[in-house]
Amino acid sequence: MTTLGSLGLDALVDVLKAAGEPTRMRLLALLSAGDLTVTDLTEILGQSQPRISRHLKLLAEVALIDRYQEGAWAYFRLRQEGRRVALVRELLAAAAPGDAILARDSTRLAALKKARSEKAQAYFSRNAAEWDELRRLHVSEGDVETALKTMVGDEPVDSLLDLGTGTGRILQLFEGLYRRGIGVDASRDMLAVARSNLDRAGITKASIRHGDIFNLPLDGRSFDLVTIHQVLHFLEDPEAAITEAARMLVPGGRLVIIDFAPHGLEYLRNEHAHARLGFAHQTMTDWLQKAGLMLEKTTDLAPEGGEEGKLTVTIWLARDQRAADVADLPRQRLQAGGI
């Protein structure tokens, strides 16, 4: 067990003390499967809220779980990285597959996720007609996703951030590409849909957060790839959203924007809350440059035959300039006679 040797004695004892109690081990097993609230955990384990909260506090103190606020709710999950968490995962893997207590917890978790899924699906169904109408206005989602995957490529990335995540589709589409994923959305109803979809797909390395796209509740310079899929046309100040997205990128990281090209369908403003009727290439290029990004690739996906009343979808891929500046430094010095 190589993980044991990678921790100092004090840290090792802290982890074993925290995990070495039945309720806390059960909590760790549940939180390894995704985001849950204290209410969720109380319902599954059949214990009081103060007791569950006390155990969660102990687990957080030794950096085994993350806690984040979403309105009045606090969500918890097993941390996705770190030596301590690696040890916990080994301990969980050592548990007998047929253990009656863990099996019962798993069954109750499945029931809770099913109820959450049904609630999310009800919201989705109420809005399905509107979304179907919008989808008929442009090329198929399959064509857009194929072009998007081609543009991004298949080189793995450490971290992905999807802004305005909606149904969580981007987190599913690139599930094989990233090690850690986060989806952010301002709509709690859509967050429920996204969580349900991730549960159904069995994706546990991505989490969903409530947040403002103009003031993200995340540390800057933390993500290799940031995506903004069909969000900017709803915003009064899309340039500010791009600037905030750029702040999230590690040096050399990439931002991908999927949205509409300029169009004249004015009814979308009133009937579907579109604040902007698409974006011109020059406008997007200017915004990206102001945010410190360089546009690398652009793809236009126009409807077949240029049908009138149909929308063209554009994909823009830009890169943070800090890495490029460092890479160009030796050449710049040579040109200047500096080395």
Side-chain angles (χ1 to χ4, degrees), residues 32-55:
S32 70
D35 304 356
L36 295 169
T37 66
V38 173
T39 300
D40 294 335
L41 295 167
T42 298
E43 181 179 332
I44 294 170
L45 271 64
Q47 299 183 17
S48 69
Q49 183 167 326
R51 179 178 172 84
I52 295 296
S53 295
R54 185 169 64 253
H55 285 305

Side-chain angles (χ1 to χ4, degrees), residues 45-74:
L45 271 64
Q47 299 183 17
S48 69
Q49 183 167 326
R51 179 178 172 84
I52 295 296
S53 295
R54 185 169 64 253
H55 285 305
L56 291 171
K57 183 174 183 294
L58 290 171
L59 293 173
E61 286 175 350
V62 293
L64 294 180
I65 63 174
D66 283 324
R67 177 191 186 279
Y68 58 92
Q69 200 73 26
E70 187 175 299
W73 296 94

Side-chain angles (χ1 to χ4, degrees), residues 137-140 143-145 147-148 151 228-233 255-263 277-285 288 295 297-303 310-318:
L137 291 176
H138 57 79
V139 295
S140 73
D143 290 343
V144 174
E145 290 180 358
L148 179 57
M151 183 174 284
I228 310 178
H229 183 213
Q230 296 291 13
V231 173
L232 293 183
H233 61 256
L255 170 65
V256 182
I257 297 170
I258 307 95
D259 219 295
F260 296 127
H263 62 84
L277 298 184
F279 303 95
H281 287 304
Q282 189 58 54
T283 298
M284 190 63 71
T285 299
L288 291 169
L295 183 64
K297 299 178 184 177
T298 304
T299 296
D300 289 316
L301 302 172
K310 297 284 188 175
L311 304 176
T312 293
V313 174
T314 302
I315 306 175
W316 295 270
L317 185 148

Side-chain angles (χ1 to χ4, degrees), residues 168-169 171-172 175 194-204:
R169 177 57 188 162
L171 293 172
Q172 296 176 68
E175 190 264 340
R195 284 197 180 96
S196 172
N197 288 338
L198 292 181
D199 286 344
R200 191 178 301 112
I203 298 174
T204 59

Side-chain angles (χ1 to χ4, degrees), residues 256-275:
V256 182
I257 297 170
I258 307 95
D259 219 295
F260 296 127
H263 62 84
L265 302 184
E266 286 287 344
Y267 78 92
L268 293 178
R269 293 188 193 273
N270 295 327
E271 297 183 20
H272 297 284
H274 287 206

Side-chain angles (χ1 to χ4, degrees), residues 173-191:
L173 183 66
F174 289 116
E175 190 264 340
L177 199 66
Y178 60 85
R179 185 183 64 82
R180 174 179 68 100
I182 294 179
V184 176
D185 204 288
S187 166
R188 290 190 173 84
D189 286 323
M190 290 310 301
L191 293 177

